[in-house]
Amino acid sequence: MSTTLESGARKYSTKPNTLPLGQRLVQAGLISESELEKALELHGNRGMRLGESLVALGLMSEADLLPLIGGQLNFPWVRLKEGIVDPEVVRYVPRAVAEQYNCLALFRVHDELTVAMAEPQNLESVDFLEELTGFKIRPALSLKSSIERLLPRCYEEDFKVDVLTADLEDNAIELKSDEVFFDTNSIQVLADGSPVINLVNYLIVQAVRQGASDIHIEPSQRSSVIRFRVDGRLREVLKPRRDLHPAVVSRIKVMSKLDIAEQRKSQDGRFHVKVDDREVDMRVSSLPTVLGEKVVMRVLDRSSVTFNLDRLGVPDRQLDTLRKILNKPHGLFLVTGPTGSGKTTTLYSAVETIKHAGCNIVTVEDPVEYQLDLVNQVQVNAARQVTFASALRSILRQDPDIILVGEIRDAETAEVAIQAALTGHLVLSTLHTNDSASTVTRLRDMGIAPYKIAASLAGVVAQRLVRKICAKCRTSHYPTPEQSLLVGYEEVPRQPFKRGEGCSVCFDTGYAGRQGIYEIMGITPAVREVISSEGSQADYRRELAAQGGTTLLQEARSLAEEGVTTIEEVIRVALTD
């Protein structure tokens, strides 16, 4: 088991220093004289050690203080947390003894038992523990307050789960207090103290580190089930005890400023955290089910996404077509695909490409996921009657040059967007269709006249995200005849394809990361003629081929041939018919 013991002698001089600790801290510039007086007052009134008083007042952190004391005493020191305590070893020292001697057994290596002690220099205590346990004692300095805080938890019957947080530093996650209000009393009652808080923090930190887009926390008959969505697929990561579920939900509700008493209606909220020095927004949704409330947290980590068209993986031949569409002064530019296919990222990247100080860009989104510089972003709010259509009408009175509509969901929004494109604005939006050819059909189904579509449409991008093969466990294989037929081969290819066997790096999925595939159709005079004459999808595909464009299936199949993705992913993602 790895340790987090630090040597006091390694970083600080062990030469005798006759000055009291407080004066040495003042001399080092770590605290002021007035701060020392406050700590000494607390030290005298409550009988606390000076170091504990400094930590309690927030004048020094435990991480800063322990090395100083450890260096003075020439003892290793340890910052206590559940992950460092071996549940089996801690019981080598009975609880009554641990409370009496202010100590906590941490772990054992062969015949040496490491024990956190408030007074490691007390040889009498060390001798007693050696006689009691039968092991050689290695004392490590820790604050008495830290031992008292952790000790009750370590002697609980169910003390075995929280070793999950072994790699979670105390400062790994920081809730932005200026954006979220806390009622600390409610937290303590509803979340039952640090175990639940640690669990929620652990989930957030691990989700960010593993690149998860969503955290699902749902109740079941016997446990709470926690799953991460990574690379578009859900993966189970934890199954905490069923009785912890309400406390976890309450903790998340408090963080996102939701009504903790309301459990019969769905609620939406958000909060902002700092994880490993990365700014992350968490969008929270609660949903009542027959077994309890389910919570889903969307992880919006700006550092993990790029809004640069050149870095989205669009092939050069398609990127040229896309830039020509975006350089048009007006028209309707649509990005299509199912939920989770990266449409918003493509739209944001398009905006970042064409924005400049001389143009007025306004967006209407539900919700605003990422904030962009030089862009005026409007949030849809049904309670205040701010819909896509109504917001779009208001935006047209704001002298916009470029308008981004988060999604065209209904005929009213489609009509206003097309009218804006016809009156000299560049309008960017998304639509749920299978491919570029079915986009016009979808707009016609909404009641938009074909001549308006032909006159306003500037270009269409259909896209998907395919998972990439894990580089650590990639291996070769040949596709089956059925797979070959599905992806368009007349016979089984003789060349081997790649797939991932599954390993610890990819969590046994065989995949790590995703890449976009794109089908981009520019609106040429020939395409406008097909739109006006209400042509079939086959007509649109012929025009796409005439432009030198490729379909989603062709792009995905090329990636499989290059060993980037698998045949299975091509079948799962790129088959549109």
Side-chain angles (χ1 to χ4, degrees):
M1 183 174 181
S2 62
T3 73
T4 57
L5 291 185
E6 301 289 345
S7 172
R10 184 181 63 203
K11 192 173 180 181
Y12 297 91
S13 172
T14 59
K15 293 180 180 180
N17 193 323
T18 56
L19 283 178
L21 175 63
Q23 290 301 320
R24 290 196 296 118
L25 295 176
V26 172
Q27 280 188 357
L30 297 174
I31 60 173
S32 65
E33 287 283 1
S34 60
E35 289 173 336
L36 176 58
E37 290 178 5
K38 291 180 182 178
L40 288 172
E41 182 180 352
L42 185 64
H43 164 66
N45 292 341
R46 298 191 183 178
M48 299 173 67
R49 289 182 172 85
L50 177 60
E52 294 166 354
S53 301
L54 290 168
V55 173
L57 291 170
L59 300 176
M60 290 191 70
S61 69
E62 188 174 346
D64 293 331
L65 184 65
L66 281 173
L68 289 167
I69 304 176
Q72 182 183 30
L73 300 176
N74 196 20
F75 275 98
W77 51 272
V78 60
R79 293 170 60 196
L80 289 181
K81 54 184 178 180
E82 291 184 22
I84 197 176
V85 182
D86 187 329
E88 299 296 328
V89 170
V90 73
R91 300 183 185 278
Y92 288 166
V93 178
R95 178 169 182 169
V97 174
E99 291 174 344
Q100 179 182 351
Y101 286 88
N102 293 315
C103 66
L104 202 60
L106 302 180
F107 49 85
R108 179 172 67 90
V109 178
H110 303 302
D111 62 344
E112 185 178 71
L113 182 66
T114 299
V115 180
M117 304 181 68
E119 297 180 350
Q121 73 277 23
N122 190 326
L123 296 179
E124 185 179 341
S125 299
V126 173
D127 290 341
F128 174 77
L129 291 174
E130 287 186 343
E131 184 178 349
L132 174 70
T133 62
F135 296 111
K136 179 182 177 181
I137 299 298
R138 183 192 182 197
L141 172 69
S142 187
L143 294 185
K144 179 183 177 183
S145 55
S146 298
I147 295 174
E148 291 176 342
R149 170 180 52 81
L150 189 58
L151 191 146
R153 170 63 181 145
C154 292
Y155 286 91
E156 291 178 2
E157 290 184 6
D158 62 345
F159 180 60
K160 57 184 178 180
V161 177
D162 289 330
V163 292
L164 287 168
T165 59
D167 64 338
L168 184 60
E169 294 296 329
D170 293 341
N171 60 351
I173 180 167
E174 172 188 345
L175 194 64
K176 306 300 282 188
S177 57
D178 57 330
E179 298 185 31
V180 178
F181 172 75
F182 283 97
D183 179 352
T184 54
N185 292 327
S186 296
I187 295 175
Q188 195 67 29
V189 171
L190 294 170
D192 194 27
S194 61
V196 169
I197 294 175
N198 285 344
L199 176 58
V200 173
N201 287 354
Y202 172 80
L203 294 177
I204 295 172
V205 169
Q206 290 302 318
V208 172
R209 289 176 179 173
Q210 295 180 27
S213 61
D214 301 89
I215 304 171
H216 290 243
I217 303 170
E218 50 200 49
S220 66
Q221 291 283 2
R222 297 184 178 180
S223 66
S224 180
V225 180
I226 298 174
R227 299 186 289 173
F228 289 171
R229 186 178 295 279
V230 180
D231 295 336
R233 306 286 281 185
L234 282 171
R235 181 181 73 242
E236 184 177 299
V237 292
L238 278 177
K239 293 184 76 172
R241 303 192 315 266
R242 179 69 175 85
D243 60 325
L244 283 178
H245 185 81
V248 171
V249 171
S250 295
R251 168 64 179 167
I252 295 171
K253 281 186 170 183
V254 170
M255 295 172 75
S256 49
K257 296 189 290 187
L258 299 180
D259 185 356
I260 57 176
E262 180 56 75
Q263 300 178 3
R264 295 174 296 177
K265 295 181 181 178
S266 59
Q267 298 183 69
D268 297 310
R270 65 192 307 156
F271 60 92
H272 187 76
V273 293
K274 189 174 182 181
V275 178
D276 296 337
D277 294 324
R278 293 151 67 178
E279 302 288 338
V280 180
D281 278 312
M282 307 294 295
R283 206 171 71 215
V284 178
S285 172
S286 70
L287 179 71
T289 72
V290 294
L291 294 176
E293 286 186 280
K294 174 180 178 178
V295 171
V296 175
M297 293 190 284
R298 170 65 56 89
V299 182
L300 301 172
D301 180 8
R302 178 64 184 264
S303 65
S304 67
V305 296
T306 177
F307 298 138
N308 185 335
L309 278 180
D310 297 323
R311 296 171 58 189
L312 289 184
V314 184
D316 291 340
R317 66 184 185 280
Q318 292 183 318
L319 192 57
D320 291 339
T321 303
L322 181 55
R323 291 189 182 279
K324 288 177 182 177
I325 295 171
L326 294 175
N327 285 332
K328 292 185 178 182
H330 56 81
L332 177 62
F333 169 67
L334 291 175
V335 181
T336 74
T339 301
S341 59
K343 300 188 297 297
T344 301
T345 300
T346 299
L347 279 187
Y348 278 13
S349 301
V351 169
E352 289 285 353
T353 299
I354 60 182
K355 76 176 184 181
H356 55 84
C359 72
N360 178 23
I361 303 178
V362 188
T363 77
V364 51
E365 306 169 63
D366 182 23
V368 174
E369 293 195 357
Y370 297 97
Q371 295 182 7
L372 305 177
D373 295 331
L374 296 177
V375 178
N376 305 287
Q377 295 172 273
V378 178
Q379 171 89 37
V380 167
N381 190 328
R384 299 180 181 178
Q385 297 183 336
V386 180
T387 63
F388 277 112
S390 65
L392 193 47
R393 290 192 180 93
S394 300
I395 287 171
L396 290 173
R397 295 191 287 271
Q398 290 283 316
D399 186 31
D401 298 297
I402 299 170
I403 303 170
L404 187 152
V405 182
E407 182 183 346
I408 294 179
R409 296 176 177 174
D410 51 49
E412 184 182 12
T413 305
E415 190 70 49
V416 179
I418 285 181
Q419 194 61 40
L422 291 172
T423 54
H425 304 89
L426 180 61
V427 181
L428 292 72
S429 189
T430 67
L431 198 65
H432 287 283
T433 62
N434 285 335
D435 53 16
S436 59
S438 56
T439 301
V440 176
T441 305
R442 177 78 176 109
L443 291 173
R444 284 208 312 261
D445 290 343
M446 287 183 171
I448 309 300
Y451 75 90
K452 285 187 177 181
I453 301 173
S456 62
L457 201 58
V460 180
V461 174
Q463 70 178 72
R464 298 288 191 278
L465 292 174
V466 295
R467 292 182 292 172
K468 296 192 293 184
I469 300 169
C470 174
K472 185 75 173 179
C473 61
R474 59 191 295 122
T475 186
S476 300
H477 80 108
Y478 289 90
T480 66
E482 293 79 9
Q483 290 174 329
S484 303
L485 184 63
L486 280 172
V487 299
Y489 293 116
E490 293 182 358
E491 58 183 24
V492 178
R494 295 184 177 180
Q495 73 173 78
F497 285 76
K498 301 294 182 181
R499 66 160 48 138
E501 290 185 316
C503 63
S504 59
V505 173
C506 62
F507 299 94
D508 292 320
T509 63
Y511 299 95
R514 289 189 291 179
Q515 180 166 325
I517 54 171
Y518 303 88
E519 179 181 301
I520 302 177
M521 184 171 66
I523 307 302
T524 62
V527 175
R528 296 189 195 280
E529 181 63 31
V530 174
I531 295 174
S532 298
S533 61
E534 301 186 26
S536 65
Q537 291 195 17
D539 295 328
Y540 291 113
R541 286 174 180 153
R542 278 194 295 271
E543 292 301 326
L544 176 66
Q547 296 176 17
T550 50
T551 65
L552 290 170
L553 179 58
Q554 290 168 335
E555 285 295 314
R557 194 170 58 202
S558 295
L559 290 181
E561 291 169 352
E562 295 168 9
V564 176
T565 190
T566 64
I567 287 289
E568 289 85 358
E569 272 295 279
V570 175
I571 296 171
R572 184 182 72 87
V573 172
L575 294 184
T576 57
D577 293 332

